[in-house]
Amino acid sequence: MKILITGGSGFIGSNFIRFLLEDSGEENLEICNFDKLTYAGQGKNIGHMGLSHDPRYTFIRGDVSIREQVEHALDLFDPSVIVNFAAESHVDRSISNSMDFVTSNVSGTVNLLDVSIGKLEKFVQISTDEVYGSRKEGSFNEDDLLNPSSPYSASKAAAEQFAVAYHKTHSAPVIITRSSNNYGPFQLPEKLIPLFITNLIDGKKVPLMWSEDNPGLNVRDWIHVEDNCRAIWHILNHGKVGEVYNIPGNSELNNLEITRAILYYFGKGDEMIEHIPHRKGHDFRYSISGDKLADLGFKVDPGSFYKRLDETCKWYEENQSWWRPLKGK
Ligand code: NAD
């Protein structure tokens, strides 16, 4: 299997490459990581994992939003599968600069779909539970309407719609995954969990979005990145072309609960919380059903969320050479 992984230098993409090379059990594997190395791709993750010299791995630096660069990569590598992780991924950045999200997330996806027409067995589009928007109770299933709130989630929803359209129009072998919030090693310290962990390692307070009527109560469903990678691999191998699959973590917590768990690991209390205003359009709760994925034979078993959160804190303590150059970028 020849897999072109876009965004393979980022958080989930690099964990996915490590999973494929070390844990998937797939013997006939060639992987090409196609990544622009934006600020989010500069952690040298594959090198830090000790995998840069694996003969099954190659890297091409390129931008999914530039057609010639995508054509070049496909000519050179000739993949049978594309897994498209490449994206601008930080909601706060999408509020201050939406256009980068349109370029990488929407135009980039359209380029990949267009250049690969007739050439692939599978095209896996990595999307997010954020495309559904917020709901107070219950969970979204794959047939629910998309109702994104942020420019980030709007760009991901638009990318999905193009993927569906290319499936209908050009028979592109598209499968879409929508996972919940990932956590684990190699996540950039701009995202909530690693931001809070790295701040506390440095003795700094943690900024929690807060108001009198909503004191840190926004709910997210957390999935360990390794579980997401396993689920994506299962869907790639067993999922039906043209379908969408939710990947829930089955670990819903509000932000105050997460914050207190991280503070507890470092032996600190609420005195280390700094209240900051909610972001504009802050979705209250994301929740997705995993029934369709279960029917496909895969269920995420989160194990002990708090144990894995502690392991994540420990990883950041032990890998400061990885995150320090990235902090504040
Ligand atoms: P990330 O920001 O850590 O990594 C993104 C990677 O994409 C980086 O290596 C970056 O250099 C690369 N990239 C960005 N623009 C590019 C372009 N134009 N051309 C080529 N490469 C480009 O993101 P992540 O958290 O690993 O997320 C990966 C994917 O998973 C994204 O599509 C995101 O929407 C989706 N997702 C993430 C989460 C999460 O919790 N992190 C949850 C659900 C879905």
Side-chain angles (χ1 to χ4, degrees):
M1 194 187 286
K2 293 181 81 174
I3 311 182
L4 184 86
I5 295 177
T6 70
S9 300
F11 166 45
I12 308 177
S14 62
N15 274 285
F16 188 64
I17 290 172
R18 191 209 60 73
F19 166 81
L20 289 178
L21 293 176
E22 294 188 337
D23 292 339
S24 68
E26 177 70 35
E27 286 180 4
N28 283 323
L29 204 58
E30 283 178 63
I31 293 170
C32 177
N33 171 13
F34 180 82
D35 196 299
K36 182 181 173 183
L37 299 183
T38 68
Y39 79 97
Q42 288 173 12
K44 302 186 174 61
N45 300 8
I46 303 294
H48 202 86
M49 292 167 178
L51 296 172
S52 337
H53 301 298
D54 190 304
R56 297 167 294 173
Y57 173 80
T58 50
F59 173 72
I60 297 176
R61 185 167 188 182
D63 185 332
V64 287
S65 71
I66 300 176
R67 186 178 174 99
E68 298 71 40
Q69 295 187 3
V70 173
E71 283 171 345
H72 172 71
L74 262 65
D75 284 348
L76 212 63
F77 184 64
D78 191 24
S80 53
V81 173
I82 290 179
V83 184
N84 182 25
F85 290 96
E88 291 292 337
S89 68
H90 192 38
V91 176
D92 288 338
R93 288 180 190 255
S94 80
I95 294 168
S96 52
N97 178 5
S98 302
M99 203 44 87
D100 283 352
F101 288 70
V102 176
T103 306
S104 289
N105 302 5
V106 187
S107 303
T109 301
V110 177
N111 264 334
L112 288 165
L113 288 162
D114 206 61
V115 174
S116 66
I117 289 175
K119 296 182 179 161
L120 300 177
E121 288 166 22
K122 296 269 169 69
F123 184 111
V124 181
Q125 173 66 12
I126 304 296
S127 194
T128 164
D129 62 355
E130 300 192 29
V131 295
Y132 294 113
S134 181
R135 70 188 288 163
K136 282 234 158 88
E137 286 165 5
S139 301
F140 290 109
N141 66 50
E142 289 81 351
D143 295 328
D144 281 319
L145 283 181
L146 304 190
N147 186 21
S149 303
S150 70
Y152 162 69
S153 51
S155 72
K156 295 298 292 185
E160 277 195 24
Q161 300 287 287
F162 272 101
V164 170
Y166 268 71
H167 170 64
K168 290 181 185 164
T169 309
H170 299 289
S171 304
V174 165
I175 302 180
I176 295 169
T177 70
R178 296 180 185 141
S179 88
S180 54
N181 272 34
N182 286 229
Y183 73 100
F186 295 100
Q187 187 169 30
L188 215 69
E190 65 178 359
K191 305 278 167 61
L192 189 140
I193 288 181
L195 173 68
F196 286 13
I197 294 172
T198 55
N199 273 13
L200 289 168
I201 290 173
D202 282 344
K204 292 187 190 145
K205 290 192 174 188
V206 299
L208 182 62
M209 291 178 190
W210 190 281
S211 62
E212 253 175 45
D213 58 342
N214 176 4
L217 301 181
N218 298 61
V219 174
R220 297 293 180 262
D221 172 33
W222 293 93
I223 183 167
H224 195 282
V225 64
E226 286 170 8
D227 290 340
N228 188 23
C229 291
R230 259 192 290 276
I232 293 168
W233 180 238
H234 185 87
I235 292 166
L236 195 165
N237 284 293
H238 304 288
K240 202 168 149 220
V241 163
E243 296 289 322
V244 180
Y245 296 93
N246 288 340
I247 310 178
N250 304 317
S251 298
E252 285 191 30
L253 284 102
N254 72 42
N255 288 345
L256 185 59
E257 288 169 325
I258 284 271
T259 305
R260 286 188 168 146
I262 299 171
L263 288 167
Y264 184 77
Y265 176 88
F266 287 99
K268 304 286 182 200
D270 286 5
E271 74 285 354
M272 291 302 281
I273 298 176
E274 177 194 359
H275 298 162
I276 61 165
H278 287 282
R279 69 163 63 102
K280 292 180 189 171
H282 198 184
D283 279 330
F284 183 72
R285 175 173 172 265
Y286 298 130
S287 184
I288 49 176
S289 158
D291 289 351
K292 188 169 171 184
L293 185 55
D295 288 345
L296 199 66
F298 193 96
K299 191 165 187 310
V300 173
D301 173 6
S304 164
F305 172 80
Y306 290 106
K307 183 166 166 274
R308 293 171 102 185
L309 183 64
D310 284 357
E311 285 164 6
T312 304
C313 292
K314 191 159 182 273
W315 186 86
Y316 281 87
E317 283 184 308
E318 290 174 349
N319 289 276
Q320 299 194 25
S321 65
W322 178 80
W323 60 261
R324 283 211 180 274
L326 305 170
K327 182 96 175 160
K329 273 211 172 188

